[in-house]
Amino acid sequence: MNMSSMRGVFLSVLVFSIGFAVIPSVYAESVSAKSVAFEETTIIEFTNEGTKDVSTFRIWLGSDFSFKSFKTEEGWKGEKTPQGVIIFTSSEPVKPGESIKFGVKTDKISSGINWKALDKTNKEIEIGKSIAGELKKPDASTKPIAKTTSEKGVLTDSIFRIIPEKPNVGGTIRVTGDNFGETEEFDFYVDSKKIGSFVTNDAGHFMTTMKIPKNIDADRVDFKVKDKQGGEKKISLRLGGLEDRVPESDNIRLTIKGLPNVMHRGDMLEISGTGQPGSAITAKISNPEGEIINTRTAEVDSKGNWKLDEPILVPLDTPFGKYSAEITDGRSKLLKNWSVESDKVIIISPESLKFEPGSPMRFNGTALPNEPIELILEDPLGDERFSNIIEVDETGFVELEYPTIANVDKEGTWTLIATQGKNKEFIFAGLGQLPTIPVNLEFDKLNYKSSETAIITLTGKPSELLSMLIIDPSDKPKGETIPIKLKPDGRTTYELELDGYASGVYTAVVSKGATKNSEIFTVGLQVGSGDIHISTTKLEYSPGDSILILGDTNPNVLLTVTLFDPSGKEVKVKETFSNKNGKISEDGFRIPSGAEPGKWKIKAVSGSNFAEIEIEVSAIHQEGMVISVKEGIEVPTVGNSIEIKVIGAKGTVEIKITDENGTEIESLEFPASSQGEINMTWIIPKDTVPGKYTISAEDAFDSAETTYIVE
């Protein structure tokens, strides 16, 4: 048998404790770091001593420390993730032989900064830790030493750029540059025509605004920076015509959308607005102490619209309080204030806004301690890819990892729905691309009287105009399409008057272009209208299994379904209904991953009528490790699969698959969850030889095995 053809694909779905392992770099000793510190402030300098360009630096601290603010060199931007990692990126990488400096401020004196350098494909180049040397305090008795030499004028490594990259005749541009002579005056030219002058700072940097004359042809021109000795640097760009610009009489006001007055940890924000066409937007964000903690830039297009390239994720460790942002387009300034508050019960966010196909999607955060939480992960098509009910411990910490398969899992915006009691949150992350905020709606309850008003909460992109249509019980539109405009924070509520609505099951469909979402609500359903009969599709379940409840009663009856554990404790309560034919179908229940073994009870109640059934949940706290296997789904173009479950494991577990001859087909290691579980899928290649295969699991304390027949 060809063993290479037998190698399958493993998936693991688990809630686990994240650890870090340092893996030797392929490009060892290719990036160096040195840093100096004074109290809580550290300056770290990276030097590229290798052969590959460095496009990204990630820095993080030990568990007892956190970053308060940071500063970057011009042309670089920084983003602090919910996990406290600062990611520095730039379109102009650090080339071999070049260096870059960043400044950070921590909450207390740091014992060192961990760092990682990556190339443009996010492949690791180098990883390390920099221990700062002490920066001596200034001595008032010591006179500063004046520089004896300083290079003047345009230098060999001088660079500058034009914003926007497609300027127009008669338009306003921003010019920024680095590595020029310090505190020196330079002239700026379009071809041979001087249009302005500027002075660099003591680091050789400048940023200035220039106006392109209207009497220049719309053609390729040279933008030049000249020193007084005749040295010059130039950029060649093509100018757009006057007809491409918005007339001066149509100047567009500077605005910003997507910044609500109140934010919460874990919120994802899509920031956009309007400004002077052809200009550049700069936003400086300050914390409650007035320190600048983030700087973002964006280009304004020819129609006066701008949008940040990436959404902003409010980190989970963001201090509460008042924040502000100063936004400018070079002509006008705008000050926006907001506060970060903590009225959310569930605060979960993705480890990254964008995950690469084939890499695991990781989420973590907090919820109410010592209470179960339901986690449902949906792909961009709205299909459920993973769900579980987990018991949150006394710390309130929640974490989830879902491994993705390249070319199998759909790329786009994935949604994690977290529900704990009456609290529900939607968390978005992108696979293969940055996420967008989808259209969503939620009713304040399931059933209404015709005299009541339904309160609908809608979310989407800031200031977006949505359309909502109500479908009646006969699957026909109820009235006209309802336009609904979201507020600048991307949220709003709509009050739907139900006067004149007949009894039955309705569907609200909200849409924006090709994006749609729907929610069911009912009007006038009664309780206690006849006998109830319910059943499940099987009698024995394992922890983590979903439950489909079927049954019948009178048509259009409102029911309350409750799942009880063996001790009689309510695990989940949900309202549901019978359809116009009296049929009951409810799939919103699942056995928790940490379920106690024994007889569980499902009870359906409608007024004085009720029905109860029992199901058996297999043991989870058994003596030693247990491994089980069942048939999985068929993955298109890849093959069938089997679901492998391990319980009673500790730490790292090695999973092996061997054939009848004892030949090892696959061997991988996975960390067990805090409940001692591993849930995974093995995708069986289509050319697998039929026969009996042994699946084994082994940790440092125990082992278990089972067999599976491949037909």
Side-chain angles (χ1 to χ4, degrees):
M1 178 172 57
N2 185 346
M3 288 186 59
S4 64
S5 68
M6 285 293 299
R7 296 191 66 83
V9 179
F10 270 111
L11 302 176
S12 71
V13 179
L14 57 149
V15 180
F16 75 114
S17 297
I18 296 178
F20 292 96
V22 177
I23 302 173
S25 173
V26 176
Y27 310 103
E29 303 300 328
S30 58
V31 177
S32 65
K34 61 180 179 180
S35 55
V36 292
F38 174 64
E39 296 179 343
E40 292 84 11
T41 300
T42 301
I43 299 173
I44 184 168
E45 180 178 12
F46 295 102
T47 301
N48 187 352
E49 299 174 348
T51 59
K52 296 182 80 68
D53 293 352
V54 182
S55 298
T56 302
F57 291 95
R58 297 174 181 242
I59 62 173
W60 67 95
L61 301 168
S63 58
D64 296 331
F65 304 87
S66 62
F67 292 111
K68 291 184 65 177
S69 61
F70 60 84
K71 289 187 177 181
T72 69
E73 289 191 10
E74 195 68 32
W76 284 74
K77 65 178 181 179
E79 182 71 27
K80 184 180 176 184
T81 73
Q83 289 72 37
V85 179
I86 297 179
I87 303 175
F88 296 111
T89 57
S90 175
S91 59
E92 297 292 334
V94 179
K95 297 185 178 299
E98 296 180 347
S99 61
I100 185 76
K101 292 181 181 179
F102 303 107
V104 296
K105 188 173 184 180
T106 54
D107 60 340
K108 49 191 173 183
I109 297 175
S110 171
S111 60
I113 296 177
N114 304 291
W115 59 270
K116 184 186 291 186
L118 305 103
D119 63 17
K120 63 181 180 181
T121 64
N122 279 332
K123 183 176 181 180
E124 180 185 309
I125 297 176
E126 188 75 64
I127 187 171
K129 183 173 182 177
S130 177
I131 306 297
E134 184 177 0
L135 186 65
K136 294 183 179 180
K137 295 182 180 180
D139 187 349
S141 64
T142 303
K143 294 182 180 180
I145 300 175
K147 287 186 178 181
T148 56
T149 60
S150 176
E151 293 183 279
K152 295 292 185 179
V154 176
L155 309 177
T156 55
D157 59 346
S158 297
I159 56 171
F160 75 97
R161 65 190 184 104
I162 307 294
I163 305 173
E165 295 179 349
K166 297 179 180 179
N168 295 311
V169 172
T172 300
I173 59 173
R174 178 160 292 190
V175 189
T176 179
D178 289 286
N179 302 326
F180 287 82
E182 302 169 6
T183 59
E184 190 174 348
E185 184 178 23
F186 293 83
D187 297 324
F188 189 73
Y189 286 77
V190 177
D191 286 335
S192 60
K193 185 176 181 64
K194 177 181 173 181
I195 63 172
S197 300
F198 60 86
V199 177
T200 57
N201 64 13
D202 56 5
H205 166 74
F206 73 89
M207 179 179 286
T208 186
T209 300
M210 297 287 177
K211 181 83 170 180
I212 299 175
K214 295 181 180 179
N215 58 352
I216 293 179
D217 293 334
D219 203 346
R220 182 169 292 277
V221 298
D222 289 334
F223 292 95
K224 303 175 184 178
V225 174
K226 288 188 176 184
D227 59 27
K228 301 304 181 182
Q229 293 76 39
E232 68 175 44
K233 281 281 180 177
K234 67 180 180 180
I235 296 174
S236 180
L237 296 174
R238 182 172 294 278
L239 290 178
L242 274 171
E243 64 275 8
D244 298 325
R245 297 185 60 250
V246 176
E248 292 293 331
S249 59
D250 295 335
N251 282 342
I252 297 177
R253 185 168 59 93
L254 178 63
T255 65
I256 185 170
K257 297 185 294 183
L259 277 179
N261 294 326
V262 176
M263 298 180 194
H264 305 92
R265 291 173 171 176
D267 281 358
M268 188 180 83
L269 310 171
E270 290 190 335
I271 310 300
S272 61
T274 60
Q276 187 63 25
S279 64
I281 295 292
T282 301
K284 296 181 179 180
I285 301 173
S286 301
N287 64 13
E289 287 74 39
E291 300 170 321
I292 296 176
I293 58 174
N294 203 337
T295 300
R296 291 291 194 95
T297 60
E299 294 185 7
V300 184
D301 64 22
S302 61
K303 296 181 180 179
N305 298 312
W306 63 269
K307 181 180 179 181
L308 292 185
D309 291 336
E310 298 181 9
I312 291 177
L313 193 64
V314 181
L316 296 181
D317 61 351
T318 299
F320 301 123
K322 300 286 185 181
Y323 289 75
S324 64
E326 182 184 270
I327 301 100
T328 178
D329 62 358
R331 297 177 51 138
S332 305
K333 286 186 179 181
L334 184 65
L335 185 65
K336 177 71 175 179
N337 298 294
W338 69 90
S339 61
V340 176
E341 299 181 359
S342 63
D343 63 351
K344 278 189 176 183
V345 171
I346 302 171
I347 305 175
I348 298 175
S349 66
E351 188 177 283
S352 173
L353 280 175
K354 177 185 174 183
F355 297 96
E356 294 302 323
S359 65
M361 302 179 74
R362 297 188 178 98
F363 302 81
N364 61 56
T366 59
L368 290 175
N370 302 314
E371 290 191 20
I373 186 171
E374 182 178 44
L375 301 174
I376 300 174
L377 185 63
E378 295 182 348
D379 67 14
L381 301 178
D383 295 330
E384 180 181 308
R385 303 307 302 270
F386 166 76
S387 64
N388 197 7
I389 298 174
I390 63 173
E391 289 290 337
V392 183
D393 63 19
E394 65 276 2
T395 67
F397 189 67
V398 178
E399 51 190 6
L400 165 71
E401 177 179 299
Y402 175 77
T404 65
I405 306 176
N407 302 318
V408 174
D409 285 316
K410 181 73 174 176
E411 295 186 18
T413 299
W414 287 57
T415 304
L416 177 65
I417 305 170
T419 307
Q420 192 177 42
K422 295 184 178 180
N423 301 294
K424 180 183 286 188
E425 294 295 337
F426 296 85
I427 302 100
F428 309 112
L431 183 64
Q433 62 187 55
L434 288 168
T436 58
I437 301 175
V439 174
N440 188 62
L441 76 161
E442 187 173 0
F443 284 78
D444 59 331
K445 60 181 181 178
L446 174 64
N447 188 56
Y448 301 88
K449 298 177 182 178
S450 59
S451 58
E452 291 183 318
T453 298
I455 307 299
I456 309 172
T457 302
L458 300 105
T459 58
K461 294 182 179 180
S463 303
E464 196 168 44
L465 184 62
L466 309 178
S467 298
M468 185 172 70
L469 183 65
I470 307 299
I471 307 298
D472 69 15
S474 60
D475 295 330
K476 295 181 180 179
K478 174 74 174 176
E480 301 295 327
T481 299
I482 304 169
I484 301 174
K485 186 172 183 179
L486 299 179
K487 295 178 181 179
D489 63 354
R491 305 172 185 177
T492 195
T493 57
Y494 182 82
E495 297 185 359
L496 179 65
E497 299 289 343
L498 300 176
D499 185 31
Y501 276 63
S503 297
V505 180
Y506 293 79
T507 303
V509 180
V510 63
S511 61
K512 171 63 179 179
T515 304
K516 294 183 179 181
N517 204 342
S518 63
E519 191 75 17
I520 289 175
F521 68 101
T522 62
V523 177
L525 298 196
Q526 301 298 313
V527 296
S529 300
D531 292 339
I532 302 170
H533 303 279
I534 58 171
S535 63
T536 56
T537 54
K538 58 183 183 177
L539 296 178
E540 187 172 343
Y541 291 83
S542 297
D545 285 350
S546 60
I547 307 171
L548 174 60
I549 303 169
L550 303 175
D552 57 78
T553 185
N554 286 353
N556 294 334
V557 171
L558 191 67
L559 304 100
T560 300
V561 181
T562 308
L563 176 66
F564 298 90
D565 69 11
S567 68
K569 177 184 175 182
E570 290 184 359
V571 175
K572 184 174 182 179
V573 181
K574 186 176 182 182
E575 274 194 317
T576 189
F577 55 89
S578 62
N579 64 16
K580 57 187 177 183
N581 299 316
K583 298 298 181 182
I584 303 169
S585 179
E586 176 57 58
D587 61 358
F589 287 84
R590 181 175 294 274
I591 302 296
S593 60
E596 293 293 331
K599 292 189 181 298
W600 288 54
K601 184 172 67 175
I602 299 172
K603 185 175 183 179
V605 178
S606 182
S608 60
N609 301 102
F610 70 92
E612 292 182 351
I613 58 171
E614 288 186 341
I615 58 174
E616 187 75 27
V617 175
S618 60
I620 183 171
H621 299 300
Q622 302 186 33
E623 195 67 34
M625 184 188 296
V626 176
I627 185 170
S628 60
V629 177
K630 65 180 181 180
E631 185 178 354
I633 62 172
E634 180 179 358
V635 181
T637 73
V638 179
N640 293 319
S641 66
I642 57 175
E643 304 290 336
I644 303 172
K645 176 173 231 174
V646 180
I647 59 176
K650 296 179 181 179
T652 301
V653 180
E654 183 180 23
I655 308 291
K656 289 184 179 180
I657 298 179
T658 55
D659 64 15
E660 292 178 294
N661 300 318
T663 303
E664 186 178 294
I665 305 303
E666 191 78 79
S667 177
L668 287 173
E669 292 185 346
F670 295 94
S673 73
S674 56
Q675 289 83 25
E677 295 182 13
I678 294 176
N679 293 281
M680 59 196 304
T681 300
W682 186 52
I683 298 178
I684 308 169
K686 290 184 176 180
D687 58 351
T688 298
V689 176
K692 181 189 290 187
Y693 289 82
T694 299
I695 298 96
S696 63
E698 182 177 3
D699 61 18
F701 308 95
D702 204 355
S703 63
E705 68 176 43
T706 188
T707 59
Y708 184 81
I709 303 295
V710 176
E711 298 178 346

